[in-house]
């Protein structure tokens, strides 16, 4: 039988962070992934990923929440970046967020698998290049951009697993930050397939 994957269901980010700090560091990549259910702007970690749009100048959904929580200095830095292509990723400071960095990636509009794969790969690469050891992803493209939730979860889990297989020592924790019940149901089932112990 598969060992149970540690999951975080706490709405309290402080509690989640305390758990993360207490969690023993284990080399196996499958010990490094977690589910967090709640608001990504509450996470006190190295980097949170933003599901942005090509302008990088803010929007609704998780993008709006991140800009509101980070304050206007985030927008000021984003203005200097001259936008971002779909599938690419760019890093900024976190400003008033408890996270040190925000990694902005632009998901595809609709189900364009390769572009969504690129979002995860490029975000993890940018994270690695900047010494980020703890990172959280929202469910990129599954809101306003309408990528089907379950298929998007397969992409997210595949890409994180593949990246960790090659670069396990670069990261202490990769968090799938889930905001909707539907995604909690999907990830709790699929994560066991991608990260068995
Ligand atoms: N914390 C974590 N996840 C959240 C939060 C939050 N605070 N708020 C929403 N989500 P979406 P997209 C979830 O629409 O589909 C913006 O206007 C949400 O429930 O934010 O990539 C951008 O500027 C869903 O599961 O991103 C772009 O124009 C997930 O985040 C466009 O939307 C992604 O939903 C990008 O669309």
């Amino acid at each position: 039988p598969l060992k149970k994957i540690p999951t975080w269901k706490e709405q309290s980010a402080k509690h989640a962070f305390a758990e993360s700090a207490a969690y023993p560091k284990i080399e196996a990549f499958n010990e490094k992934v977690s589910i967090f259910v709640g608001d990504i702007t509450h996470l006190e970690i190295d980097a949170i990923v933003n599901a942005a749009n090509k302008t990088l100048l803010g929007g609704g959904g998780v993008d709006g929440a991140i800009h509101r929580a980070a304050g206007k200095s985030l927008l000021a830095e984003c203005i200097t970046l001259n936008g971002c292509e779909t599938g690419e990723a760019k890093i900024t400071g976190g400003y008033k967020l408890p996270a040190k960095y925000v990694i902005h990636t632009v998901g595809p509009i609709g189900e364009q698998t390769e572009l969504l794969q690129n979002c995860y790969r490029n975000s993890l690469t940018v994270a690695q290049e900047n010494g980020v050891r703890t990172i959280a992803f929202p469910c990129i493209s599954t809101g306003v951009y309408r990528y089907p939730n379950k298929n998007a979860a397969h992409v997210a889990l595949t890409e994180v697993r593949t990246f960790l297989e090659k670069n396990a020592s670069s990261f202490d924790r990769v968090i799938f930050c889930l905001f909707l019940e539907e995604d909690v149901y999907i990830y709790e089932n699929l994560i066991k397939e991608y990260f068995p112990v």
Side-chain angles (χ1 to χ4, degrees):
L2 299 177
K3 203 173 127 191
K4 200 181 173 306
I5 302 297
T7 60
W8 293 344
K9 287 187 177 174
E10 291 74 22
Q11 292 295 324
S12 154
K14 277 214 166 98
H15 186 91
F17 182 67
E19 252 194 43
S20 147
Y23 206 82
K25 275 187 196 159
I26 301 170
E27 283 314 306
F29 61 83
N30 54 8
E31 296 287 345
K32 296 187 177 188
V33 296
S34 304
I35 289 170
F36 173 72
V37 181
D39 187 339
I40 203 166
T41 67
H42 292 175
L43 291 173
E44 190 183 345
I45 56 178
D46 290 342
I48 62 172
V49 175
N50 182 16
N53 60 59
K54 286 163 103 176
T55 70
L56 297 185
L57 301 181
V62 69
D63 193 8
I66 288 172
H67 274 273
R68 274 193 302 277
K72 59 182 191 312
S73 303
L74 176 61
L75 180 60
E77 184 175 358
C78 284
I79 287 169
T80 69
L81 298 177
N82 296 314
C84 184
E85 291 303 314
T86 305
E88 300 298 313
K90 292 188 178 180
I91 193 166
T92 66
Y95 300 96
K96 290 182 182 168
L97 287 164
K100 263 182 255 161
Y101 299 106
V102 179
I103 296 172
H104 306 263
T105 189
V106 183
I109 300 174
E111 188 168 9
Q112 301 183 72
T113 307
E114 217 173 288
L115 291 173
L116 189 61
Q117 289 170 335
N118 290 345
C119 286
Y120 284 92
R121 285 178 204 169
N122 289 323
S123 296
L124 289 164
T125 302
V126 167
Q128 192 180 35
E129 286 167 358
N130 286 275
V132 166
R133 299 201 57 85
T134 50
I135 182 169
F137 284 96
C139 299
I140 301 164
S141 279
T142 63
V144 175
Y145 283 177
R146 301 198 159 280
Y147 202 108
N149 295 58
K150 191 171 177 185
N151 295 352
H154 277 290
V155 170
L157 289 159
T158 301
E159 293 310 317
V160 169
R161 172 159 176 153
T162 305
F163 203 90
L164 286 179
E165 278 174 1
K166 295 188 194 118
N167 306 280
S169 63
S170 294
F171 293 98
D172 294 329
R173 188 158 289 275
V174 179
I175 297 165
F176 297 100
C177 178
L178 312 179
F179 206 62
L180 303 176
E181 274 306 314
E182 183 186 359
D183 286 312
V184 177
Y185 177 78
I186 290 169
Y187 273 79
E188 284 193 340
N189 283 299
L190 289 184
I191 203 166
K192 291 180 273 204
E193 291 174 23
Y194 286 90
F195 297 97
V197 175

